Each structure stands twice: as C-alpha cells, then as structure tokens.
C-alpha cells in the first residue's frame, strides 16, 4: 500500500505539473500570437494611425496599440489605452522570455520563432498587474505606420490570466491531494480485504502449531491467488497429516513387532532361570526358541536400519552392473531357502545397466523369499530377466502360491503390513520386505507392480532403467 501510495503521488505530481504547464503555455502564447498579429497588421496597413482601435479589437484579447517615432516619442495610441508607458528602444535592447513561469523544454517557444526576429517581447509590471509587450520596428518610412522610421508597440494585460492560472494551480493541488487521500483509503481497504485470507491462514497455522490438531483446514473461497494459496496450504496439511498418521502407525507397529520376540526371549530365559532342573531336551528347546526369536529380532532391526537409511536419503553405489550375473547369484541363494518348491530360471537374457548391484540382489532375494514363504511345497517359482526396449532390465518373479486378496493389494508396500494369509503362514516375518523393495526400485528410477489373486498365485514385475537417476549426480 505504501509503494502504491508513493507511485500515485509521483503520478499525480507529474500529471498536475504537466497539465498546468501545457495549459499555461497555451494561454500565454495565445496572447503573444495576438500581439504579433496586431503589430503585423499595423505595419502592413497604410492607414494604421486611424485604425489602431479597430486593429486591436480584431485580435480577441484586451490590447492597446501604439505608434512611436524613431526617438521613442509616442505618436498615436488606440482608444481606451490604459497601459503603462513603455520605451520601445529599452524593450528591443533587453527582450524577455516567455510570459509563463515554467515549462519543460519539449518544443521551442513562440518567442524563439522566426517571425519574432523582427521585434522583441517584454513583460512589465505597473504595480497592479503584469503587461505583455511586443515592439516591432518600422524600417521603411514609405510603407505603413505613418511617416519615417519608428515602432509599433502592442500591449496586453496579464492580470486576469495570471489570476486564472493561480486558481488553476490551487484547483490542481486540491484535486491531487484529494486523489491521493482517496487512493490511500481505497488501497488500504482493498489491501485489508485482500489480505484477510492471509490473516485467517496465519491464525489457522498458529492454532495448528499450538494444538497439534492436523485435521483443521483453512476456508478457501474464490478463484484468486490467495484462494489458491489457501488450497495449497490445505493440501500441505493433508500431506503432513497423512505422514503423521503413518509415522504413528509405524511407531506402534514397530513397538509391537519388537515386543513379541523380546517377550519370547525373556520368557524362555526366565524359564531357564526358575527351572534349573529342566530336562536337557526342554532346555535345548527353550534355547532354540530364544535363538529363533533373537534372529528374527536381528532381521527386524536390520530392516528398520535399511528403511531409516532410505528415509535419510543414503545414496546408492552406482556403477555398471551385469544384471544377469546378479540374477544368477540370487537364484542360487534362493534355491538353498526352498522348502520343497520348484525354482525355475527362465528367461535369462544378458542385460547391463548402471545401478547398485548389492541393492538389486537384495531386491531379488526379498521377492524370492516372499514367493517361497507363500508358496506351498510342490509349487513353482519362476525368476526371469529380459532386456527392455530402452536398454533397461525387466525382472519377474512369479509363483503358484496362495496369492493376495484384492483388498490387500493396495497396501502390500506399506511398512509392517501383511495380509492375513501371510501372517498365518509366516509368523516370523517383519512386514518390511516389500517396503524396502519399493525403495530400491524407486532409487533406481524404476517401477514395481504386483498382479495377484487368491489361489492363483502372484507375479511381481520390476522395470529398471538403463541408468539410475542418482547416477547423474
């Protein structure tokens, strides 16, 4: 608003000065033109001494015409001449500039135009008002203006015009001040109305920060930029609320998953402490169960560490990777994990990309481990690698296992999410494997998709580009 007021003040000031200057120049130069025309007519008219009043009346402004001899003596004057006495020789000796006070030099004044070379303008003051004077020499005694060389003098009073210009200055000043006041009040009102949504947004943000209630939203009305800002703020709140809910769920799920193995370990150790006389077989069984839970706890901590690094943006070790060699290594390790399932490698095409070989292998082992867990003995698991049309790699892991219900498919990549059949078949899982798999695929700039149905099996398709995005950095 302050900047707007400052600009408006400059505009009003410049506009007012320009209006006054053009107006003043036009009126004062109209007087000068009338004086020029009257003296020119007097010089050209042989009967000028007897027609001075008529010549003065023809110019449309109050004017007095005089004829002076070469020595400055007054020879003839127009009727009703109330102008002050003037010596034409002093006016010619010391001519004055324009009658108006100021004007930007955008065009030459009439005072500087060629016709004035035959005479000179002057400005007199008789104590009451100013008078504009033009003196024109008569250098040919045989033509006009009487006999012998002399001067034609035209005078016009400027009192009325000066008073009119003074009133005009006052009017412009008043209108300019009124315009600035109106513009300031208007801009204040408009700014207050326009910034009211910003104030509401600020109050809402402060209230959310104080109460930590992420369900609150800003009322967004209209289609202007502030409404778009409020809508964007609401979208940001939606994202923050979703992230906050996911974080709460993650902490609760992590606590639950960590508590289960710890409870089992502590229970077995407490049993061994309270019953030192247990048979060796029961002692070995308690120690084996404690070891299994400790191994599960170790896997869970490792997975949590991997996800923490993923959230922290730990970069990948990007280098050229022979994906077919990595697939073959993962396939060999997965065969050692199989529990009666048939593992098939088909097809296996040579593919070379830029990526992180260790992470790609981790991705494959996660997918193969899930397929083995959810496929009963006698089932079939197929691992395949094809070269993509863009030089990338397409990996597929297909099984004939229990499948995933349609309601669970949108959530399989969420942390600690496991479908009910999976929970019953894999009580030792962490529910973080597919979350880590998606992170690995995302960091390589690829995509992962799951096609599954209960009783029909599951197919996971991973597409990795020829060059991981982080390699460009």
């Amino acid at each position: 608003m302050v900047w707007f007021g400052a600009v408006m003040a400059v505009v009003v000031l410049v506009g007012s000065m320009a209006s006054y200057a053009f107006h003043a120049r036009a009126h004062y130069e109209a007087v000068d033109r009338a004086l020029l025309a009257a003296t020119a007519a007097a010089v050209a008219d042989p009967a000028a001494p007897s027609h001075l009043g008529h010549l003065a009346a023809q110019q449309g402004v109050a004017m007095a015409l005089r004829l002076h001899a070469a020595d400055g003596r007054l020879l003839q004057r127009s009727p009703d001449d109330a102008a002050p006495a003037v010596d034409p020789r002093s006016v010619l000796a010391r001519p004055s500039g324009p009658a108006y006070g100021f004007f930007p030099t955008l065009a030459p004044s009439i005072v500087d135009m060629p016709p004035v070379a035959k005479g000179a303008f002057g400005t007199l003051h008789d104590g009451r008002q100013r008078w504009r004077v033009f003196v024109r020499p008569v250098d040919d005694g045989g033509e006009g203006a009487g006999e012998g060389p002399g001067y034609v003098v035209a005078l016009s009073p400027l009192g009325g015009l000066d008073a009119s210009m003074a009133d005009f200055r006052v009017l412009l000043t008043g209108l300019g001040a009124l315009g600035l006041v109106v513009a300031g009040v208007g801009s204040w009102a408009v700014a207050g109305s326009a910034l009211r949504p910003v104030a509401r947004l600020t109050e809402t943000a402060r209230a959310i920060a104080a109460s930590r209630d992420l369900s609150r939203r800003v009322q967004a009305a209209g289609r202007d930029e502030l409404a778009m800002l409020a809508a964007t703020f609401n979208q940001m709140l939606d994202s923050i609320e979703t992230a906050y809910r996911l974080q709460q769920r993650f902490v609760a799920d992590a606590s639950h998953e960590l508590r289960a193995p710890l409870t089992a370990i502590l229970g077995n150790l407490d049993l061994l402490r309270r019953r030192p006389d247990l048979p060796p077989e029961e002692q070995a069984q308690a120690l084996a169960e404690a070891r299994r839970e400790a191994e599960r706890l170790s896997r869970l901590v490792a997975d949590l560490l991997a996800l923490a690094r993923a959230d922290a943006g730990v970069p990948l070790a990007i280098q050229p990777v022979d994906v077919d060699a990595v697939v073959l290594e993962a396939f060999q390790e997965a065969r050692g994990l199989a529990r009666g399932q048939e593992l098939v490698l088909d097809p296996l095409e040579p593919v070379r990309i830029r990526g992180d070989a260790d992470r790609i292998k981790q991705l494959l082992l996660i997918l193969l481990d899930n397929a083995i867990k959810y496929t009963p003995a006698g089932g079939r698991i197929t691992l395949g690698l094809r070269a993509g049309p863009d030089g990338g790699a397409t990996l597929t892991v297909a099984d004939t296992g229990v499948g995933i219900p349609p309601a669970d498919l949108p959530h399989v990549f969420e942390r600690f999410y496991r479908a009910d059949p999976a929970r019953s078949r894999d009580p030792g899982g962490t529910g973080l494997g597919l979350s880590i798999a998606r992170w690995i695929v995302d960091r390589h700039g690829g995509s992962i998709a799951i096609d599954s149905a209960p009783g029909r099996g599951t197919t996971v398709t991973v597409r990795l580009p020829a060059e991981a995005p982080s390699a460009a950095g």
Side-chain angles (χ1 to χ4, degrees):
M1 190 201 69
V2 172
W3 276 107
F4 176 77
V7 171
M8 282 295 299
V10 172
V11 170
V12 169
L13 177 62
V14 173
S16 299
M17 292 178 63
S19 297
Y20 174 77
F22 278 104
H23 188 70
R25 174 168 179 161
H27 283 75
Y28 283 108
E29 287 198 346
V31 174
D32 288 350
R33 289 190 181 90
L35 297 178
L36 280 172
T39 56
V43 170
D45 188 358
S50 59
H51 297 154
L52 289 181
H54 177 68
L55 293 176
Q58 285 182 331
Q59 309 310 317
V61 298
M63 183 184 300
L65 275 176
R66 297 174 182 175
L67 298 178
H68 288 257
D71 58 1
R73 289 179 298 107
L74 178 63
L75 301 177
Q76 187 73 29
R77 65 196 305 172
S78 60
D80 302 325
D81 180 0
V86 58
D87 185 355
R89 294 172 298 178
S90 63
V91 174
L92 290 173
R94 292 186 301 276
S96 65
Y100 43 84
F102 70 93
F103 185 78
T105 310
L106 300 179
S109 168
I110 192 174
V111 176
D112 304 320
M113 292 182 180
V116 185
K118 299 180 180 179
F121 281 101
T123 303
L124 307 177
H125 201 290
D126 63 356
R128 294 181 305 160
Q129 65 177 342
R130 295 193 306 158
W131 289 78
R132 189 63 169 167
V133 182
F134 183 69
V135 177
R136 186 161 187 159
V138 181
D139 26 355
D140 185 0
E143 294 185 9
E147 298 180 356
Y151 309 96
V152 178
V153 179
L155 302 95
S156 179
L158 298 178
L161 185 55
D162 288 343
S164 176
M165 290 297 105
D167 293 340
F168 187 56
R169 287 195 299 270
V170 173
L171 178 62
L172 284 179
T173 303
L175 290 177
L178 179 62
L180 288 178
V181 171
V182 172
V185 173
S187 62
W188 180 274
V190 171
S193 175
L195 295 178
R196 196 169 295 118
V198 177
R200 289 199 300 267
L201 191 149
T202 303
E203 293 174 2
T204 302
R206 186 178 293 114
I208 291 174
S211 64
R212 297 187 179 182
D213 181 11
L214 296 175
S215 63
R216 298 189 58 175
R217 296 294 181 268
V218 180
Q219 295 298 324
R223 301 177 62 88
D224 57 4
E225 289 79 0
L226 291 176
M228 294 174 60
L229 173 63
T232 304
F233 184 75
N234 288 336
Q235 292 175 359
M236 181 188 68
L237 287 177
D238 290 338
S239 300
I240 295 176
E241 184 180 16
T242 301
Y244 181 68
R245 301 298 180 200
L246 290 176
Q247 182 188 35
Q248 286 183 321
R249 176 180 169 183
F250 176 76
V251 172
D253 290 343
S255 301
H256 174 76
E257 295 290 341
L258 289 170
R259 184 175 60 225
L262 287 174
T263 301
I265 293 172
L266 291 175
N268 284 283
L269 293 177
D270 188 59
L271 177 63
L272 293 174
R273 182 181 62 82
R274 289 186 294 104
R275 298 284 304 276
D277 56 343
L278 280 176
E281 296 81 5
E282 294 184 12
Q283 291 182 3
Q285 183 180 359
L287 289 174
E289 184 178 352
R291 180 178 178 83
R292 284 195 304 270
E293 293 300 329
E295 290 174 350
R296 179 189 172 198
L297 183 61
S298 176
R299 291 195 304 270
L300 179 59
V301 172
D303 289 344
L304 289 174
L305 179 60
L307 288 175
R309 290 176 176 175
D311 293 338
V314 175
L316 301 179
I318 301 299
Q319 58 186 354
V321 177
D322 291 324
V323 183
D324 50 320
V326 176
V327 169
L328 191 57
E329 290 180 14
F331 180 77
Q332 295 295 340
E333 291 189 21
R335 292 180 65 179
L337 302 175
R339 298 187 294 269
Q341 299 89 350
E342 178 187 6
L343 269 68
V344 179
L345 183 58
D346 181 45
L348 181 62
E349 299 179 1
V351 180
R352 186 178 179 86
I353 67 172
R354 286 184 60 82
D356 189 324
D358 292 336
R359 294 301 182 183
I360 295 175
K361 182 178 178 180
Q362 182 183 12
L363 164 68
L364 290 172
L365 289 177
I366 290 173
L367 299 180
L368 289 170
D369 183 59
N370 281 347
I372 292 172
K373 289 176 181 177
Y374 304 151
T375 302
R380 182 185 179 91
I381 300 172
T382 304
L383 173 62
L385 170 63
R386 289 184 176 87
D390 58 348
T394 300
L395 300 163
T396 56
V397 177
D399 63 60
T400 60
V402 297
I404 304 173
D408 295 321
L409 274 176
H411 307 286
V412 294
F413 292 110
E414 295 178 7
R415 299 176 181 182
F416 292 111
Y417 185 87
R418 287 176 293 182
D420 288 341
R423 288 185 182 271
S424 63
R425 296 184 59 85
D426 181 32
T430 65
L432 297 175
L434 288 179
S435 298
I436 297 174
R438 184 174 64 174
W439 167 70
I440 295 173
V441 173
D442 291 342
R443 290 304 304 271
H444 280 83
S447 63
I448 182 170
I450 297 181
D451 180 22
S452 182
R456 188 171 58 86
T458 301
T459 300
V460 182
T461 303
V462 176
R463 292 181 173 86
L464 300 178
E467 178 128 0
S470 56

